Amino acid sequence: MERAISIILLWLLPLQAWASVLTVKGSVKATLQQAVAGDTVVVPAGVYYEKGLVIDKAIYLKGVGRPVLDGESKYEVILILSSHVTVEGFVIRRSGFSDWKDLAGIKLGNVKHVTVKNNVLEETFFGIYCQQSDSCVITGNTLKSNASQRIQSGNGIHCWHCDGMQLIGNTVTQHRDGIYFEFVTNSLIKGNHSFKNVRYGLHFMFSHNDHYEDNIFEHNEAGVSVMFSHGVDMKRNTFAGNQGGGAYGILLKEITDSKMEKSHFEDNTVGIYMEGTTRVQVTDNVFKTNGWAMKVQASCAENKITHNNFVGNTFDVATNGSLVLNNFDNNYWDKYEGYDLNRDGKGDVPYHPVSLYAMVADKNPAVMMLFHSFMVSLLDRTEKVMPGITPVNLVDRAPFMKPLSL
C-alpha cells in the first residue's frame, strides 16, 4: 500500500522537478527550440536580433543584465502561444509598424496564466497586446513609444476579449492610448501611470465588472474614456492636466451601475463628462481648479453625486437640459454663500451649482473673454434670485459649509 502511494505521489510531482535551466550562448531562438515545458531559458546581457521569437511551450524566459531584443522596426519581437509562460527582465525595442497588422513588442494569443513583468519596451507599435487571453498578469513594465499621430501609432497595453487580467504598476507614455480594454471582464487595473499619450490614458469599451484603482492619468490629450460598460468600480485614481478643446479627466458614456470614488480631478478642462450614464455613484472625490468640474448631459439619470469637494473650479457644473434626474445633495462648494443658523455643518439655503454664465460659455466659448466682468457677475446674481434659464432642480439641498476630509 505504501509503495502504491509513493508511486502516485511521484506521478503527481510538477514538471519543475525535472525542469532544466538553459543559458543562451548564441541564438535565443535556437535555445527556445531546445527547451521543454517547465524549463527556464536565461538570456545574458547583449543585443539580440532574432527576427521574431515564438514561445509555444510553458517556459520561463528570463533576462539577466537587461538584454535587448531588437525587432529592427520590421518584426513582432515576442509572440506567446502557450499558457503558463513568464517573460521577465528584457529591453524590447523597435517592433515592426503596419497599417493592417497589429504588430507588438510582446503579443499574447489565446493563452492563460501568462506573466509579463519588469520589462522595458521602447519604440514599439503596440507595446503588450493581449488577444483572447485570460488570467494573465502584466506588471512592473515601462512602455515608451514615439507616437505623434493617432493613425500611425498603437496602444501601450492592449487587451481584447480577455477575462481576469491584472495590469499592475506599469508606466505607459507616448502611445495612442496608454491602456486599451475592449470586451474585457472581471479584470484589475491598479497602480499604473499613464501620461502624455496622444489620445487617452485609458480607453475602456464594452468591458464589464472591472476594477481600476490607484492609477495616475495625466497630460493625455483627452484623459480617460469609459464607454458602453456596466459594473465598473473606479477609485483612488488621479486625473490631472488633461487640457484642450475636447479634453476631460474622464468621459463616462453609456455607463450603468458603476462607481467613481475617492479620486482626484485637478487642472482638467473638464473633470468628469457624463453622457447617457445611469445609476453611477460619484462620491468622496476632490474637484480642484478644473475649467468645468462636471458636465452632466440631460441624457443622464439616477446618478448620485454626493460628498465631494468642489474647490477653485472656474465652473462647478454644466448641463444641456432643464430636466435633471440626478441627486447632487451633500457636497462642499467653495462658491456657496449661504449660512448655517442651526450649526449642523450644512447650509440652510440650497445651492444651485449651475450658473447662467456657465451655460452661455458652454455653447459660446468666445464669451469667456468677459469672465470676471461686472456684467457677468450681475447676470449670475440675477439668475439666482429669479431663475429662468438654469435648471431649477439641479440643486444641492444641504451643502456642507466646510471642506470634507477626503
Side-chain angles (χ1 to χ4, degrees):
M1 182 66 179
E2 291 181 0
R3 184 171 181 273
I5 292 174
S6 298
I7 292 172
I8 292 171
L9 290 174
L10 186 63
W11 180 75
L12 290 174
L13 282 174
L15 286 172
Q16 277 70 14
W18 294 276
S20 300
V21 177
L22 306 178
T23 300
V24 173
K25 295 182 179 179
S27 168
V28 180
K29 186 175 294 185
T31 309
L32 286 175
Q33 291 171 351
Q34 296 171 13
V36 298
D39 283 354
T40 296
V41 176
V42 175
V43 183
V47 180
Y48 298 84
Y49 300 92
E50 298 286 339
K51 295 181 172 55
L53 296 174
V54 177
I55 302 177
D56 56 3
K57 59 197 76 171
I59 59 102
Y60 178 13
L61 183 64
K62 180 176 178 59
V64 176
R66 198 66 79 178
V68 176
L69 301 177
D70 195 310
E72 304 176 64
S73 300
K74 298 178 182 178
Y75 310 104
E76 194 153 66
V77 183
I78 298 178
L79 174 61
I80 300 174
L81 299 177
S82 172
S83 298
H84 302 284
V85 168
T86 297
V87 176
E88 178 184 11
F90 291 90
V91 173
I92 296 168
R93 72 185 186 194
R94 298 203 302 164
S95 72
F97 290 75
S98 174
D99 292 332
W100 59 276
K101 189 176 182 181
D102 295 336
L103 299 175
I106 302 175
K107 181 177 286 184
L108 284 59
N110 196 24
V111 297
K112 297 181 179 179
H113 304 292
V114 167
T115 299
V116 178
K117 63 180 180 179
N118 302 331
N119 300 286
V120 175
L121 291 93
E122 301 174 341
E123 298 181 46
T124 57
F125 184 39
F126 284 80
I128 301 171
Y129 193 113
C130 306
Q131 177 177 310
Q132 294 178 307
S133 297
D134 300 337
S135 305
C136 298
V137 178
I138 313 297
T139 181
N141 302 284
T142 299
L143 301 92
K144 182 179 180 180
S145 192
N146 51 8
S148 58
Q149 298 181 28
R150 298 181 184 183
I151 196 170
Q152 296 177 342
S153 57
N155 303 319
I157 303 176
H158 182 108
C159 297
W160 179 76
H161 272 282
C162 298
D163 181 75
M165 303 293 286
Q166 295 187 52
L167 277 59
I168 302 173
N170 302 285
T171 299
V172 190
T173 187
Q174 290 184 257
H175 282 270
R176 179 173 60 198
D177 296 337
I179 299 171
Y180 181 90
F181 266 28
E182 186 173 7
F183 303 109
V184 179
T185 53
N186 306 307
S187 295
L188 174 67
I189 303 173
K190 183 174 182 178
N192 301 282
H193 186 195
S194 182
F195 65 102
K196 293 184 179 178
N197 295 289
V198 299
R199 188 167 64 176
Y200 301 118
L202 167 68
H203 194 178
F204 194 100
M205 299 180 65
F206 308 107
S207 297
H208 313 303
N209 304 318
D210 295 306
H211 297 256
Y212 74 89
E213 56 194 51
D214 302 308
N215 303 286
I216 299 174
F217 304 105
E218 60 181 346
H219 303 296
N220 300 290
E221 183 182 272
V224 172
S225 177
V226 180
M227 302 190 289
F228 308 106
S229 303
H230 63 256
V232 183
D233 190 359
M234 304 163 276
K235 60 185 177 184
R236 298 190 305 274
N237 298 288
T238 297
F239 307 83
N242 302 290
Q243 298 181 350
Y248 31 74
I250 185 168
L251 163 67
L252 301 177
K253 180 178 175 64
E254 304 299 331
I255 306 297
T256 61
D257 302 298
S258 299
K259 296 178 181 179
M260 171 62 74
E261 301 175 304
K262 301 178 181 179
S263 294
H264 197 93
F265 299 84
E266 185 170 354
D267 294 333
N268 303 286
T269 300
V270 180
I272 298 180
Y273 188 104
M274 301 174 69
E275 181 178 340
T277 62
T278 306
R279 297 184 300 277
V280 173
Q281 296 182 37
V282 181
T283 58
D284 298 331
N285 303 287
V286 174
F287 297 87
K288 183 179 179 181
T289 60
N290 301 282
W292 284 265
M294 299 185 69
K295 286 189 176 183
V296 183
Q297 302 300 86
S299 55
C300 301
E302 300 180 62
N303 301 294
K304 188 173 183 180
I305 296 93
T306 185
H307 213 262
N308 303 285
N309 284 337
F310 292 83
V311 180
N313 303 290
T314 304
F315 304 114
D316 290 325
V317 181
T319 186
N320 64 346
S322 58
L323 180 62
V324 179
L325 304 175
N326 306 287
N327 185 304
F328 283 84
D329 291 339
N330 303 130
N331 298 283
Y332 170 75
W333 314 85
D334 66 342
K335 296 180 179 64
Y336 180 61
E337 298 176 343
Y339 47 83
D340 178 21
L341 296 180
N342 61 3
R343 298 187 179 181
D344 65 351
K346 296 181 180 179
D348 299 335
V349 179
Y351 176 64
H352 295 265
V354 178
S355 69
L356 173 60
Y357 187 56
M359 296 187 69
V360 173
D362 188 35
K363 296 179 180 179
N364 301 280
V367 304
M368 282 300 297
M369 67 179 64
L370 301 175
F371 189 53
H372 290 315
S373 70
F374 172 75
M375 184 59 67
V376 167
S377 178
L378 182 62
L379 283 172
D380 274 340
R381 290 186 178 277
T382 302
E383 178 70 12
K384 288 181 180 180
V385 175
M386 297 180 294
I389 297 177
T390 58
V392 176
N393 56 345
L394 200 163
V395 59
D396 188 334
R397 296 171 181 84
F400 283 97
M401 297 297 296
K402 295 181 179 179
L404 300 163
S405 298
L406 300 176

